Amino acid sequence: MYLDEKIETMSRNELNTLQFDRLKKALNAASQTRYYNKFFSDKKIDVSKIKTLEHIKDLPFTTKHDLRLSYPDGMVAVPASDIVRIHASSGTTGKSTVIYYTQKDIDHWANQIARAMYATGTRKEDVFQNMMGYGLFTGGLGLHYGAEKLGCTVIPSATGNSLRQIQLLQDFNTTVIHITPSYALHLVEVIKENGINPHDLSLKKAYFGAEPYSQATTEKLENLWGIDAYNSYGLSEMNGPGVAMDCIHKKGMHVVEDSYIVEIINPNTGEQLPDGEEGELVITHINREAMPIIRYRTRDLTRIIPEPCECGRTHRRIERIKGRSDDMIIVGGVNVFPSQIESVLMNIPEIGNNYVIIIDRENGLDRMHIQVELYSKLFQGDIKALKRLNKDIVEKLRAIIVINPRVEFMEPGSLPASEGKAKRVIDNRII
């Protein structure tokens, strides 16, 4: 039932003691980095005065903005020779948020994901097909290493190429997949179009993540595929997937509390909220050598479930993420900020000041459609010039946000003018 029973069933007091010991080490390591040393000094923070876990509320928050200011290595707490891995996510202004790992960090990450997968019933006899992206994105590699740690047979199929995915599912009798829910909706339709009954596959379970989705979508996918589906939560700043995951009871995601301290705060005031109240999730990584991060504001909205879980694990659970307190949108598993798009559009002289980002779901896949008003003096431009401009804009956007949007030129003044805060994003997805 447990992969590491001692850790997974610790009493609350034992777990608090372990967390505090690791918090002190993380604070000492962080205070030696260039960025946190100045950060703590500017805010007159003496980490030696943190005497209990409750005192964590006296520490300042770290934000994505801080990570960008520390670019490329201002928060690294170990010698460069100890770094074995770098992951990065795209930034709103071109700068990435970069996360560093030592070999010990990679091993800890694999162990925590292996524990989480084991809690859902995955075993070494399973064949695990990983349909998430690899590379600088953390989504694919996390569960890849966790599954290998369990002894599963791993198929690193990555994203896309549906016919190839189906062939792999059939030829190697895949029993477990890791996939975005939107791609799972699309792929199951392709399977049926090819005359295959999804229920006839060997598939038993799926791990969903990388984008927001509802419980109704989970249940729909379970019925379409004939499988059990499990929620997984993670973010690149905290290694990636595996920060929290469902167990077999699927009544909230267990946080790996020997690696993370979680808090819920009022997103407007920063005040800590008690267990059970919904607010913004704040996470402190206390078990990473290369880059400890203190009180990171995730902008994700959830609550801590105070009741014990039937599975016997004592690590607290969080509910499915309800949304975000900022304006980030997730399209096909890729994080996109409207400001990224605006930064491209507003630097093109031929484009006017108004635009709208429309997100739809077509055949189970996310699609981005951007309507932009042309500068009035160009509206009568020739067709060839407009086609060249459209292609140029699409290429510039793809270089920043990775995905391939459709850009539609609009007559000047045709888009609704906003009074007050502009509504730039229209999300038509029902998921």
Side-chain angles (χ1 to χ4, degrees), residues 86-320:
I86 294 174
H87 278 290
S89 60
S90 61
T92 60
T93 58
K95 277 194 176 180
S96 299
T97 56
V98 183
I99 306 299
Y100 296 78
Y101 305 76
T102 65
Q103 185 58 56
K104 188 175 180 181
D105 295 335
I106 296 294
D107 293 341
H108 280 314
W109 189 19
N111 283 329
Q112 74 186 49
I113 293 178
R115 277 164 38 191
M117 294 176 72
Y118 194 89
T120 65
T122 298
R123 298 293 185 266
K124 64 177 296 183
E125 294 78 20
D126 282 302
V127 178
F128 175 70
Q129 189 165 326
N130 198 1
M131 302 186 196
M132 284 288 191
Y134 283 71
L136 287 175
F137 172 58
T138 58
L141 283 168
L143 266 75
H144 178 116
Y145 282 113
E148 285 187 342
K149 188 73 177 178
L150 277 180
C152 301
T153 299
V154 176
I155 304 173
S157 57
T159 57
N161 198 341
S162 297
L163 294 180
R164 177 69 167 165
Q165 300 282 9
I166 295 167
Q167 182 183 356
L168 293 170
L169 285 168
Q170 291 181 302
D171 292 351
F172 299 100
N173 298 314
T174 300
T175 57
V176 183
I177 59 173
H178 181 209
I179 189 172
T180 64
S182 58
Y183 186 47
L185 286 168
H186 173 73
L187 185 60
V188 74
E189 293 305 318
V190 178
I191 287 172
K192 290 190 289 186
E193 287 170 5
N194 280 269
I196 303 166
N197 183 346
H199 292 219
D200 291 338
L201 298 171
S202 300
L203 202 60
K204 296 185 298 184
K205 64 170 64 71
Y207 298 114
F208 293 147
E211 62 188 21
Y213 57 100
S214 66
Q215 180 60 29
T217 294
T218 301
E219 293 170 1
K220 179 179 180 179
L221 284 166
E222 286 182 322
N223 291 330
L224 287 171
W225 284 88
I227 57 173
D228 276 326
Y230 297 91
N231 298 321
S232 173
Y233 173 73
L235 59 166
S236 60
E237 296 84 356
M238 295 293 143
N239 282 359
V243 172
M245 191 182 285
D246 282 339
C247 67
I248 56 171
H249 297 287
K250 296 191 279 191
K251 294 180 179 178
M253 296 177 285
H254 288 271
V255 177
V256 183
E257 288 198 274
D258 50 306
S259 288
Y260 308 101
I261 295 174
V262 294
E263 308 168 68
I264 302 293
I265 65 166
N266 181 314
N268 298 316
T269 66
E271 173 192 9
Q272 256 188 7
L273 299 176
D275 287 1
E277 287 196 27
E278 185 177 301
E280 179 184 340
L281 181 65
V282 172
I283 308 177
T284 299
H285 203 315
I286 54 173
N287 200 24
R288 188 165 61 198
E289 290 182 323
M291 195 173 172
I293 295 182
I294 311 303
R295 299 197 83 196
Y296 183 71
R297 292 193 63 164
T298 67
R299 302 293 182 180
D300 291 322
L301 301 174
T302 184
R303 73 180 184 98
I304 292 173
I305 302 170
E307 298 81 17
C309 184
E310 301 168 54
C311 73
R313 289 172 177 80
T314 52
H315 296 219
R316 293 180 300 171
R317 292 164 292 152
I318 57 173
E319 277 192 339
R320 171 196 298 273

Side-chain angles (χ1 to χ4, degrees), residues 88-91 96 133-134 136-137 159 331-337 340-341 344 368 370 393-406:
S89 60
S90 61
S96 299
Y134 283 71
L136 287 175
F137 172 58
T159 57
V331 184
V334 177
N335 295 349
V336 178
F337 291 84
Q340 289 176 299
I341 294 169
V344 172
M368 177 181 286
I370 304 171
I393 293 172
V394 169
E395 288 176 350
K396 287 179 177 176
L397 286 168
R398 187 170 58 235
I400 296 295
I401 63 175
V402 181
I403 62 177
N404 195 28
R406 179 165 70 91

